[in-house]
Amino acid sequence: MVEPKASSSSGTPAVALPSSSPGSASTDEIAPARPRQQSIALVDDDRNILTTVSIGLQAEGFATRLYTDGETALKALTDNPPDLAIFDIKMPRMDGLHLLQALREQSSLPVIFLTSKDEEPDEALGLAMGADDYITKPFSQRLLVARIRAILRRSELARASTEETVQENLPDPVVRGRLSLDPARHQVTWNGEPVSLTVTEFLILEALSLRPGVVKSRNQLMDAAYSEDVYVDDRTIDSHIKRLRRKFRAVDPEFSAIDTLYGAGYSFTDG
């Protein structure tokens, strides 16, 4: 059953497919607590895709929130963030790229892009702007679920690290010259200035900074940032590196600590 949410004055109504409500428990019996359902926001102007993908994700145990345009989605994603969002790139009023740009000003929410085969420049731009992954249409539901679970696992690990309170069990911060990287709290500073990174960016930077001066191939960086059941190509890693450099240069225009060895990979060196 699909129930429309109340629409905003400027946006298209969002629709949600609620999960069925549990039966009533007897007065002398306490029902066991259910694990929290992870929620996925889907933003696409194609209602057929919204419905099909939503039904498939609900069958995998996810709760879904559906939005048919970027303007409506932006307020909902910032006011009540889901665990992950999936954006189509081509949408009226506010496309996926502009939605991601606006969202990244306020949130590091994991985002997957849905793209068409003729949208490769948009894919690269989306990754450079802060998307965590992309999937080309047409895609299999199995692949989409695998990508979602991989990104959520990385997000959960980062979140669990920040909630760890026993100091002796926390990994030590990594300090390399002007870089300070705290895996336990998912925090990064450069020359004392905070730098906000996505989970994928953090894992790539961590892999580079743990072995300063050592060239890491793209395959090695893929292994560090993605689980075994997720495939990404070289262009994805290159886009993440460009985005990392852009974020560090926002706090230090002279940033040059990530070196490129053409044909081999990348390395981190700072003083």
Side-chain angles (χ1 to χ4, degrees), residues 175-216:
V175 178
R176 299 288 185 266
R178 288 168 286 179
L179 174 71
S180 176
L181 184 148
D182 189 343
R185 297 170 178 80
H186 193 73
Q187 294 175 347
V188 176
T189 62
W190 176 259
N191 209 22
E193 295 291 330
V195 181
S196 178
L197 303 182
T198 66
V199 174
T200 303
E201 294 166 353
F202 187 94
L203 292 172
I204 290 174
L205 179 62
E206 182 180 32
L208 291 171
S209 62
L210 287 175
R211 299 287 302 278
V214 175
V215 176
K216 293 278 188 177

Tab-separated table of all heavy atoms in Angstrom, residues 175-216:
chain	number	residue	atom	x	y	z
A	175	VAL	N	49.151	10.644	13.002
A	175	VAL	CA	49.666	11.995	12.788
A	175	VAL	C	50.803	11.921	11.777
A	175	VAL	O	51.798	11.223	11.995
A	175	VAL	CB	50.166	12.635	14.101
A	175	VAL	CG1	50.741	14.030	13.827
A	175	VAL	CG2	49.048	12.707	15.127
A	176	ARG	N	50.640	12.608	10.665
A	176	ARG	CA	51.651	12.651	9.606
A	176	ARG	C	51.853	14.105	9.208
A	176	ARG	O	51.094	14.655	8.426
A	176	ARG	CB	51.200	11.835	8.392
A	176	ARG	CG	50.970	10.358	8.665
A	176	ARG	CD	52.296	9.622	8.882
A	176	ARG	NE	52.098	8.186	9.039
A	176	ARG	CZ	51.973	7.561	10.198
A	176	ARG	NH1	52.015	8.269	11.322
A	176	ARG	NH2	51.812	6.252	10.256
A	177	GLY	N	52.879	14.734	9.776
A	177	GLY	CA	53.101	16.140	9.487
A	177	GLY	C	51.917	16.978	9.944
A	177	GLY	O	51.528	16.947	11.107
A	178	ARG	N	51.307	17.666	9.032
A	178	ARG	CA	50.173	18.533	9.372
A	178	ARG	C	48.848	17.779	9.417
A	178	ARG	O	47.821	18.356	9.804
A	178	ARG	CB	50.081	19.676	8.347
A	178	ARG	CG	51.179	20.718	8.495
A	178	ARG	CD	51.229	21.638	7.304
A	178	ARG	NE	51.807	20.962	6.138
A	178	ARG	CZ	51.954	21.520	4.953
A	178	ARG	NH1	51.552	22.770	4.762
A	178	ARG	NH2	52.494	20.837	3.958
A	179	LEU	N	48.860	16.512	9.047
A	179	LEU	CA	47.640	15.708	9.041
A	179	LEU	C	47.453	14.996	10.373
A	179	LEU	O	48.368	14.370	10.896
A	179	LEU	CB	47.697	14.658	7.932
A	179	LEU	CG	46.531	13.654	7.913
A	179	LEU	CD1	45.249	14.335	7.463
A	179	LEU	CD2	46.860	12.463	7.013
A	180	SER	N	46.255	15.093	10.923
A	180	SER	CA	45.860	14.289	12.080
A	180	SER	C	44.581	13.555	11.707
A	180	SER	O	43.592	14.180	11.308
A	180	SER	CB	45.625	15.168	13.314
A	180	SER	OG	45.164	14.377	14.398
A	181	LEU	N	44.618	12.234	11.836
A	181	LEU	CA	43.492	11.391	11.427
A	181	LEU	C	43.137	10.479	12.584
A	181	LEU	O	43.973	9.708	13.048
A	181	LEU	CB	43.897	10.600	10.172
A	181	LEU	CG	42.872	9.712	9.494
A	181	LEU	CD1	43.152	9.672	7.987
A	181	LEU	CD2	42.954	8.298	10.045
A	182	ASP	N	41.915	10.603	13.081
A	182	ASP	CA	41.464	9.836	14.247
A	182	ASP	C	40.440	8.791	13.798
A	182	ASP	O	39.259	9.092	13.626
A	182	ASP	CB	40.834	10.778	15.275
A	182	ASP	CG	40.543	10.077	16.597
A	182	ASP	OD1	40.520	8.834	16.615
A	182	ASP	OD2	40.327	10.775	17.604
A	183	PRO	N	40.868	7.519	13.606
A	183	PRO	CA	39.935	6.481	13.142
A	183	PRO	C	38.798	6.227	14.118
A	183	PRO	O	37.694	5.877	13.705
A	183	PRO	CB	40.840	5.241	13.005
A	183	PRO	CG	42.229	5.766	12.916
A	183	PRO	CD	42.237	7.012	13.754
A	184	ALA	N	39.044	6.375	15.411
A	184	ALA	CA	38.005	6.080	16.399
A	184	ALA	C	36.849	7.061	16.313
A	184	ALA	O	35.691	6.701	16.541
A	184	ALA	CB	38.603	6.100	17.802
A	185	ARG	N	37.143	8.295	15.996
A	185	ARG	CA	36.106	9.333	15.966
A	185	ARG	C	35.783	9.817	14.562
A	185	ARG	O	34.974	10.717	14.383
A	185	ARG	CB	36.544	10.524	16.839
A	185	ARG	CG	36.685	10.135	18.301
A	185	ARG	CD	37.332	11.218	19.123
A	185	ARG	NE	37.398	10.828	20.522
A	185	ARG	CZ	38.329	10.006	21.025
A	185	ARG	NH1	39.275	9.511	20.240
A	185	ARG	NH2	38.331	9.685	22.305
A	186	HIS	N	36.442	9.218	13.585
A	186	HIS	CA	36.219	9.583	12.186
A	186	HIS	C	36.420	11.092	11.993
A	186	HIS	O	35.620	11.788	11.369
A	186	HIS	CB	34.816	9.168	11.737
A	186	HIS	CG	34.631	9.231	10.250
A	186	HIS	ND1	35.192	8.312	9.387
A	186	HIS	CD2	33.947	10.094	9.456
A	186	HIS	CE1	34.865	8.615	8.155
A	186	HIS	NE2	34.114	9.700	8.168
A	187	GLN	N	37.517	11.590	12.565
A	187	GLN	CA	37.811	13.014	12.482
A	187	GLN	C	39.151	13.226	11.794
A	187	GLN	O	40.104	12.465	12.022
A	187	GLN	CB	37.833	13.639	13.876
A	187	GLN	CG	36.479	13.641	14.566
A	187	GLN	CD	36.549	14.159	15.987
A	187	GLN	OE1	37.626	14.306	16.558
A	187	GLN	NE2	35.393	14.432	16.575
A	188	VAL	N	39.219	14.265	10.977
A	188	VAL	CA	40.447	14.606	10.259
A	188	VAL	C	40.688	16.097	10.405
A	188	VAL	O	39.757	16.904	10.286
A	188	VAL	CB	40.331	14.250	8.762
A	188	VAL	CG1	41.576	14.700	8.000
A	188	VAL	CG2	40.127	12.750	8.578
A	189	THR	N	41.939	16.448	10.693
A	189	THR	CA	42.323	17.861	10.675
A	189	THR	C	43.579	18.024	9.845
A	189	THR	O	44.405	17.103	9.735
A	189	THR	CB	42.577	18.416	12.090
A	189	THR	OG1	43.676	17.712	12.695
A	189	THR	CG2	41.347	18.271	12.966
A	190	TRP	N	43.728	19.206	9.257
A	190	TRP	CA	44.927	19.552	8.511
A	190	TRP	C	45.428	20.884	9.059
A	190	TRP	O	44.747	21.889	9.003
A	190	TRP	CB	44.638	19.666	7.014
A	190	TRP	CG	45.828	20.104	6.201
A	190	TRP	CD1	46.081	21.351	5.725
A	190	TRP	CD2	46.919	19.286	5.803
A	190	TRP	NE1	47.264	21.369	5.046
A	190	TRP	CE2	47.801	20.111	5.062
A	190	TRP	CE3	47.241	17.939	5.980
A	190	TRP	CZ2	48.989	19.622	4.520
A	190	TRP	CZ3	48.414	17.461	5.430
A	190	TRP	CH2	49.278	18.294	4.717
A	191	ASN	N	46.620	20.840	9.635
A	191	ASN	CA	47.198	22.042	10.241
A	191	ASN	C	46.246	22.627	11.281
A	191	ASN	O	46.130	23.840	11.427
A	191	ASN	CB	47.504	23.075	9.153
A	191	ASN	CG	48.677	23.959	9.530
A	191	ASN	OD1	49.510	23.596	10.366
A	191	ASN	ND2	48.744	25.128	8.931
A	192	GLY	N	45.540	21.714	11.994
A	192	GLY	CA	44.619	22.129	13.044
A	192	GLY	C	43.216	22.469	12.573
A	192	GLY	O	42.321	22.668	13.401
A	193	GLU	N	42.988	22.505	11.247
A	193	GLU	CA	41.676	22.843	10.702
A	193	GLU	C	40.912	21.557	10.377
A	193	GLU	O	41.451	20.653	9.735
A	193	GLU	CB	41.816	23.684	9.434
A	193	GLU	CG	42.434	25.054	9.661
A	193	GLU	CD	41.502	25.969	10.435
A	193	GLU	OE1	40.272	25.814	10.319
A	193	GLU	OE2	42.011	26.837	11.161
A	194	PRO	N	39.645	21.436	10.810
A	194	PRO	CA	38.871	20.217	10.518
A	194	PRO	C	38.555	20.087	9.027
A	194	PRO	O	38.289	21.075	8.343
A	194	PRO	CB	37.592	20.402	11.339
A	194	PRO	CG	37.475	21.875	11.539
A	194	PRO	CD	38.873	22.414	11.602
A	195	VAL	N	38.588	18.850	8.548
A	195	VAL	CA	38.235	18.538	7.165
A	195	VAL	C	37.164	17.452	7.207
A	195	VAL	O	37.391	16.380	7.776
A	195	VAL	CB	39.463	18.040	6.365
A	195	VAL	CG1	39.071	17.760	4.919
A	195	VAL	CG2	40.602	19.050	6.428
A	196	SER	N	36.002	17.718	6.633
A	196	SER	CA	34.890	16.769	6.666
A	196	SER	C	34.997	15.798	5.499
A	196	SER	O	34.991	16.211	4.333
A	196	SER	CB	33.554	17.522	6.602
A	196	SER	OG	32.476	16.617	6.582
A	197	LEU	N	35.079	14.496	5.809
A	197	LEU	CA	35.221	13.466	4.782
A	197	LEU	C	34.097	12.447	4.882
A	197	LEU	O	33.585	12.179	5.963
A	197	LEU	CB	36.565	12.729	4.929
A	197	LEU	CG	37.847	13.556	4.878
A	197	LEU	CD1	39.059	12.629	4.989
A	197	LEU	CD2	37.924	14.383	3.600
A	198	THR	N	33.739	11.867	3.749
A	198	THR	CA	32.835	10.728	3.760
A	198	THR	C	33.599	9.496	4.250
A	198	THR	O	34.829	9.513	4.366
A	198	THR	CB	32.274	10.442	2.361
A	198	THR	OG1	33.353	10.028	1.504
A	198	THR	CG2	31.604	11.677	1.774
A	199	VAL	N	32.862	8.418	4.511
A	199	VAL	CA	33.507	7.189	4.980
A	199	VAL	C	34.508	6.681	3.953
A	199	VAL	O	35.635	6.290	4.295
A	199	VAL	CB	32.444	6.111	5.274
A	199	VAL	CG1	33.098	4.781	5.630
A	199	VAL	CG2	31.531	6.553	6.403
A	200	THR	N	34.127	6.682	2.684
A	200	THR	CA	35.020	6.181	1.636
A	200	THR	C	36.283	7.031	1.541
A	200	THR	O	37.397	6.506	1.441
A	200	THR	CB	34.289	6.162	0.284
A	200	THR	OG1	33.104	5.366	0.395
A	200	THR	CG2	35.179	5.571	-0.798
A	201	GLU	N	36.124	8.344	1.573
A	201	GLU	CA	37.285	9.231	1.525
A	201	GLU	C	38.198	8.987	2.717
A	201	GLU	O	39.434	8.959	2.586
A	201	GLU	CB	36.820	10.692	1.511
A	201	GLU	CG	36.075	11.092	0.271
A	201	GLU	CD	35.345	12.412	0.431
A	201	GLU	OE1	35.306	12.955	1.562
A	201	GLU	OE2	34.798	12.903	-0.563
A	202	PHE	N	37.615	8.821	3.885
A	202	PHE	CA	38.401	8.596	5.101
A	202	PHE	C	39.238	7.328	4.968
A	202	PHE	O	40.430	7.309	5.308
A	202	PHE	CB	37.466	8.492	6.303
A	202	PHE	CG	38.171	8.425	7.634
A	202	PHE	CD1	38.400	9.574	8.365
A	202	PHE	CD2	38.611	7.212	8.143
A	202	PHE	CE1	39.062	9.516	9.589
A	202	PHE	CE2	39.266	7.141	9.356
A	202	PHE	CZ	39.492	8.304	10.089
A	203	LEU	N	38.630	6.249	4.475
A	203	LEU	CA	39.347	4.975	4.367
A	203	LEU	C	40.478	5.057	3.345
A	203	LEU	O	41.548	4.462	3.545
A	203	LEU	CB	38.365	3.866	3.995
A	203	LEU	CG	37.338	3.507	5.069
A	203	LEU	CD1	36.309	2.534	4.524
A	203	LEU	CD2	38.012	2.938	6.306
A	204	ILE	N	40.266	5.783	2.263
A	204	ILE	CA	41.334	5.952	1.270
A	204	ILE	C	42.479	6.760	1.866
A	204	ILE	O	43.661	6.402	1.731
A	204	ILE	CB	40.778	6.633	0.011
A	204	ILE	CG1	39.851	5.669	-0.737
A	204	ILE	CG2	41.916	7.083	-0.913
A	204	ILE	CD1	39.131	6.293	-1.918
A	205	LEU	N	42.159	7.862	2.547
A	205	LEU	CA	43.198	8.688	3.163
A	205	LEU	C	43.947	7.902	4.237
A	205	LEU	O	45.179	7.997	4.358
A	205	LEU	CB	42.576	9.944	3.757
A	205	LEU	CG	43.549	10.902	4.463
A	205	LEU	CD1	44.578	11.440	3.487
A	205	LEU	CD2	42.789	12.047	5.125
A	206	GLU	N	43.224	7.119	5.025
A	206	GLU	CA	43.863	6.313	6.057
A	206	GLU	C	44.852	5.326	5.446
A	206	GLU	O	45.973	5.163	5.943
A	206	GLU	CB	42.804	5.574	6.862
A	206	GLU	CG	43.379	4.737	8.012
A	206	GLU	CD	42.302	4.011	8.779
A	206	GLU	OE1	41.283	3.638	8.164
A	206	GLU	OE2	42.453	3.811	9.995
A	207	ALA	N	44.451	4.661	4.366
A	207	ALA	CA	45.327	3.695	3.706
A	207	ALA	C	46.601	4.362	3.199
A	207	ALA	O	47.697	3.792	3.286
A	207	ALA	CB	44.594	3.015	2.556
A	208	LEU	N	46.481	5.582	2.696
A	208	LEU	CA	47.651	6.297	2.198
A	208	LEU	C	48.543	6.782	3.339
A	208	LEU	O	49.775	6.652	3.290
A	208	LEU	CB	47.213	7.490	1.344
A	208	LEU	CG	46.564	7.171	-0.003
A	208	LEU	CD1	45.988	8.436	-0.630
A	208	LEU	CD2	47.569	6.531	-0.945
A	209	SER	N	47.935	7.341	4.386
A	209	SER	CA	48.723	7.974	5.444
A	209	SER	C	49.398	6.955	6.368
A	209	SER	O	50.382	7.286	7.031
A	209	SER	CB	47.837	8.922	6.261
A	209	SER	OG	46.789	8.218	6.898
A	210	LEU	N	48.871	5.746	6.453
A	210	LEU	CA	49.511	4.737	7.303
A	210	LEU	C	50.884	4.334	6.786
A	210	LEU	O	51.731	3.873	7.562
A	210	LEU	CB	48.602	3.496	7.418
A	210	LEU	CG	47.358	3.654	8.297
A	210	LEU	CD1	46.479	2.406	8.220
A	210	LEU	CD2	47.748	3.930	9.750
A	211	ARG	N	51.097	4.472	5.490
A	211	ARG	CA	52.410	4.148	4.895
A	211	ARG	C	52.892	5.345	4.083
A	211	ARG	O	52.859	5.331	2.854
A	211	ARG	CB	52.297	2.913	4.004
A	211	ARG	CG	51.854	1.647	4.705
A	211	ARG	CD	52.943	1.053	5.592
A	211	ARG	NE	54.162	0.750	4.859
A	211	ARG	CZ	54.345	-0.358	4.135
A	211	ARG	NH1	53.374	-1.260	4.035
A	211	ARG	NH2	55.488	-0.573	3.518
A	212	PRO	N	53.327	6.420	4.759
A	212	PRO	CA	53.721	7.625	4.020
A	212	PRO	C	54.865	7.339	3.060
A	212	PRO	O	55.809	6.612	3.376
A	212	PRO	CB	54.139	8.598	5.135
A	212	PRO	CG	54.414	7.741	6.321
A	212	PRO	CD	53.508	6.572	6.217
A	213	GLY	N	54.753	7.896	1.876
A	213	GLY	CA	55.775	7.723	0.861
A	213	GLY	C	55.634	6.462	0.033
A	213	GLY	O	56.272	6.337	-1.011
A	214	VAL	N	54.804	5.521	0.496
A	214	VAL	CA	54.608	4.263	-0.230
A	214	VAL	C	53.478	4.444	-1.239
A	214	VAL	O	52.394	4.914	-0.890
A	214	VAL	CB	54.270	3.109	0.740
A	214	VAL	CG1	53.947	1.831	-0.034
A	214	VAL	CG2	55.441	2.876	1.693
A	215	VAL	N	53.748	4.079	-2.490
A	215	VAL	CA	52.742	4.213	-3.534
A	215	VAL	C	51.721	3.091	-3.404
A	215	VAL	O	52.070	1.916	-3.377
A	215	VAL	CB	53.387	4.181	-4.931
A	215	VAL	CG1	52.309	4.232	-6.020
A	215	VAL	CG2	54.358	5.347	-5.089
A	216	LYS	N	50.453	3.483	-3.295
A	216	LYS	CA	49.347	2.527	-3.235
A	216	LYS	C	48.664	2.493	-4.600
A	216	LYS	O	48.285	3.540	-5.137
A	216	LYS	CB	48.325	2.942	-2.177
A	216	LYS	CG	48.838	2.865	-0.745
A	216	LYS	CD	48.742	1.443	-0.222
A	216	LYS	CE	49.057	1.383	1.262
A	216	LYS	NZ	48.901	0.035	1.811
